[in-house]
């Protein structure tokens, strides 16, 4: 394997163990199970946050506690994601997936049993831990089990399952609350976690030590990852991409209100936007395998910036719906591209868990930071400023995308 001079110091710290191609049947089966887990994990994540409005009404909470509980969730999510790789090395990635599902189960159980607001903090902390554990390890496993030439497609399919879960589980959870109330809805969702826990224990068996590549891996420290130039630029692309796009759906309803679209109907527009998410991850992941991830990423970011500006400027409900769908394609359809870049930066095909943990920590932190900044812009300069800022930051992704391509 050819090693770039700039990366020799980093790559000397770990042995080389390339992936076998084509993908084996056990690996394909594992990816299918992980995709189903991602469907549920993303569904549980958006549902526990989406139910905050119902929880607030159920317990008569002040609105500021809604903000605090959502902050507890994301802080725990970001914090645990940084250590997810180390935890995987300590207890095996299969057990991390099971632990994440168990944490989701405990979150729904706590919400089901909660009879005082104090327990809500525990529930949302557990929900954040569950999401923060599963996402980096799930993406790492899919990337590791996939051949390099089809990695963008595999990660895109994995992410698309998460988007389907976002829509399906959230709609189901909302319907359950309306029919049966908050506590009974939480009980049903708890049942889904128990079922997922049983199935994951059956269908994600730990391989024998002799067949398990994780037994030959050594943890890679952040300082070593930072010596890998391609990893640095892929992570920087993830930071700017997440800052510009990951929270955009929160502000779309506020942009639509002045255009004559009622608040009650903005949910349907967000669903169209999420459908674009899913389509983009399926399409752009495949295009990145064919034409190169950095090239597809750069073009996508330029298109995203143009579409954001058009969304601010154009009137008309049908045109807005069309724009939202296409914008969704280029808004989060880029995430599997960048994750494939992270995986491709690890030439020795090992220690993916540490790389994806560091990447997830950085990109999620960017998402958390952008929210108060966008809130300030919306409050003091108008909602359009949020979208202008998002368009500008999306163009900053062109720098790491082009630099990544030069580091071979």
């Amino acid at each position: 394997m050819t090693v770039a001079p700039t990366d020799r110091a980093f790559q000397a710290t770990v042995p080389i163990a390339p992936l076998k191609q084509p993908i084996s049947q056990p690996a394909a089966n594992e990816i299918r199970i992980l995709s189903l887990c991602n469907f549920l994990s993303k569904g549980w994540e958006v549902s526990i946050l989406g139910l905050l409005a119902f929880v607030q009404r159920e317990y008569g909470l002040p609105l500021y506690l809604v903000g605090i509980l959502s902050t507890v969730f994301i802080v725990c999510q970001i914090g645990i994601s940084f250590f997810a790789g180390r935890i995987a090395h300590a207890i095996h990635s299969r057990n991390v997936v099971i632990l994440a599902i168990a944490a989701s189960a405990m979150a729904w159980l706590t919400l089901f049993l909660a009879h005082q607001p104090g327990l809500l903090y525990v529930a949302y902390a557990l929900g954040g831990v569950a999401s923060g554990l599963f996402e980096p390890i799930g993406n790492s496993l899919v990337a590791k089990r996939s051949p390099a030439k089809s990695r963008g497609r595999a990660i895109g399919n994995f992410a698309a399952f998460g988007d389907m879960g976002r829509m399906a589980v959230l709609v189901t959870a909302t319907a359950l609350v309306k029919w049966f109330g908050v506590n009974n809805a939480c009980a049903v969702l708890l049942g889904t976690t128990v079922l997922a826990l049983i199935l994951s224990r059956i269908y994600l068996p730990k391989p024998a030590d002799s067949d398990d590549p994780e037994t030959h891996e050594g943890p890679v420290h952040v300082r070593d990852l930072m010596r890998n130039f391609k990893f640095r630029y892929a992570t920087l692309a993830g930071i700017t991409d997440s800052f510009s796009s990951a929270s955009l759906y929160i502000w779309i309803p506020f942009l639509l209100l002045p255009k004559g679209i009622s608040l009650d109907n903005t949910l349907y527009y967000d669903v169209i936007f999420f459908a674009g998410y899913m389509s983009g991850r399926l399409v752009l992941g495949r295009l990145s395998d064919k034409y190169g991830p950095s090239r597809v990423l750069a073009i996508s970011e330029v298109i995203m910036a143009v579409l954001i500006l058009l969304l601010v400027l154009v009137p008309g409900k049908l045109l807005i719906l069309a724009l939202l769908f296409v914008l969704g394609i280029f808004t989060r359809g880029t995430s599997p591209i960048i994750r494939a870049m992270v995986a491709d930066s690890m030439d020795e095909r090992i220690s993916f868990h540490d790389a994806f943990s560091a990447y997830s920590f950085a990109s999620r932190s960017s998402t958390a930071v952008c929210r108060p900044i966008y809130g300030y812009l919306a409050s003091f300069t108008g909602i359009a400023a949020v979208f202008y800022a998002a368009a500008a930051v999306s163009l900053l992704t062109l720098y790491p995308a082009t630099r990544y391509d030069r580091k071979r």
Side-chain angles (χ1 to χ4, degrees):
M1 179 177 294
T2 302
V3 179
T6 53
D7 290 342
R8 290 185 188 278
F10 168 73
Q11 293 172 356
T13 62
V14 287
I16 294 177
L19 281 172
K20 295 180 180 180
Q21 297 187 21
I23 187 170
S24 66
Q25 189 59 44
N29 291 336
E30 184 177 0
I31 289 175
R32 292 189 188 101
I33 297 300
L34 288 168
S35 297
L36 178 59
C37 289
N38 197 37
F39 177 96
L40 293 169
S41 177
K42 290 300 181 183
W44 295 328
E45 177 184 333
V46 298
S47 294
I48 199 170
L49 291 171
L51 291 184
L52 270 172
F54 298 98
V55 170
Q56 185 267 338
R57 184 181 64 186
E58 179 82 7
Y59 294 98
L61 303 176
L63 282 175
Y64 72 83
L65 273 183
V66 173
I68 291 176
L69 289 170
S70 63
T71 301
V72 168
F73 182 95
I74 196 169
V75 167
C76 292
Q77 184 186 56
I78 293 170
I80 197 68
S81 67
F82 184 76
F83 300 101
R86 297 182 187 180
I87 296 171
H89 284 297
I91 67 173
H92 195 275
S93 56
R94 168 188 178 271
N95 294 326
V96 173
V97 173
I98 293 173
L99 182 61
I101 297 172
S104 289
M106 292 302 297
W108 289 116
L109 178 63
T110 305
L111 275 181
F112 172 60
L113 298 176
H115 297 293
Q116 54 182 350
L119 288 176
L120 297 177
Y121 293 98
V122 178
Y124 280 88
L126 287 167
V129 167
S131 176
L133 279 174
F134 180 79
E135 180 171 296
I137 300 305
N139 279 286
S140 172
L141 286 171
V142 171
K144 181 179 290 191
R145 304 296 188 250
S146 304
K149 291 184 179 180
S150 60
R151 184 171 289 138
R153 175 180 179 176
I155 297 176
N157 290 343
F158 178 75
F161 268 90
D163 290 328
M164 287 188 280
R166 279 189 176 100
M167 294 183 282
V169 180
L170 179 58
V171 169
T172 302
T174 304
L176 288 171
V177 171
K178 291 180 179 178
W179 293 336
F180 306 116
V182 174
N183 279 30
N184 290 330
C186 293
V188 174
L189 290 166
L190 170 62
T192 64
T193 62
V194 173
L195 180 61
L197 197 58
I198 294 171
L199 293 175
S200 63
R201 289 184 64 85
I202 294 173
Y203 292 106
L204 286 176
K206 182 178 179 180
D209 287 348
S210 59
D211 299 325
D212 183 8
E214 290 185 30
T215 60
H216 308 295
E217 295 181 8
V220 175
H221 298 288
V222 174
R223 65 176 178 271
D224 297 318
L225 289 171
M226 289 299 100
R227 294 172 188 161
N228 183 328
F229 288 101
K230 296 192 78 170
F231 175 82
R232 277 164 45 183
Y233 286 120
T235 302
L236 181 57
I239 290 171
T240 54
D241 182 68
S242 295
F243 192 100
S244 62
S245 63
S247 297
L248 210 57
Y249 70 94
I250 296 174
W251 307 102
I252 285 175
F254 299 100
L255 181 71
L256 299 183
L257 285 174
K259 296 178 182 288
I261 299 170
S262 67
L263 188 61
D264 292 338
N265 291 328
T266 56
L267 172 64
Y268 301 110
Y269 288 80
D270 269 342
V271 169
I272 295 296
F273 189 55
F274 289 144
Y277 273 28
M278 182 180 68
S279 302
R281 284 166 167 161
L282 291 171
V283 173
L284 296 186
R286 287 162 169 78
L287 290 176
S288 69
D289 288 334
K290 185 174 182 179
Y291 298 107
S294 56
R295 179 183 301 177
V296 175
L297 175 62
I299 294 172
S300 298
E301 295 293 341
V302 172
I303 295 174
M304 174 186 161
V306 173
L307 290 171
I308 289 175
L309 296 178
L310 287 175
L311 184 64
V312 175
L313 299 174
V314 303
K317 295 180 181 179
L318 290 178
L319 185 55
I320 290 172
L321 279 172
L323 272 174
L324 282 174
F325 177 77
V326 180
L327 177 60
I329 292 174
F330 295 100
T331 296
R332 297 305 288 160
T334 54
S335 64
I337 299 175
I338 300 174
R339 289 178 180 134
M341 290 165 65
V342 170
D344 291 343
S345 72
M346 306 297 290
D347 291 333
E348 61 282 13
R349 303 295 190 268
I350 69 167
S351 300
F352 274 30
H353 296 334
D354 297 295
F356 275 93
S357 293
Y359 169 78
S360 182
F361 176 81
S363 61
R364 285 186 181 276
S365 296
S366 177
T367 301
V369 168
C370 83
R371 290 177 180 177
I373 294 175
Y374 285 169
Y376 178 87
L377 288 173
S379 297
F380 294 98
T381 60
I383 188 63
V386 172
F387 291 83
Y388 294 142
V393 175
S394 71
L395 294 177
L396 295 179
T397 310
L398 297 177
Y399 173 73
T402 54
R403 293 292 296 173
Y404 177 93
D405 215 23
R406 296 174 186 173
K407 294 291 180 180
R408 296 190 180 277

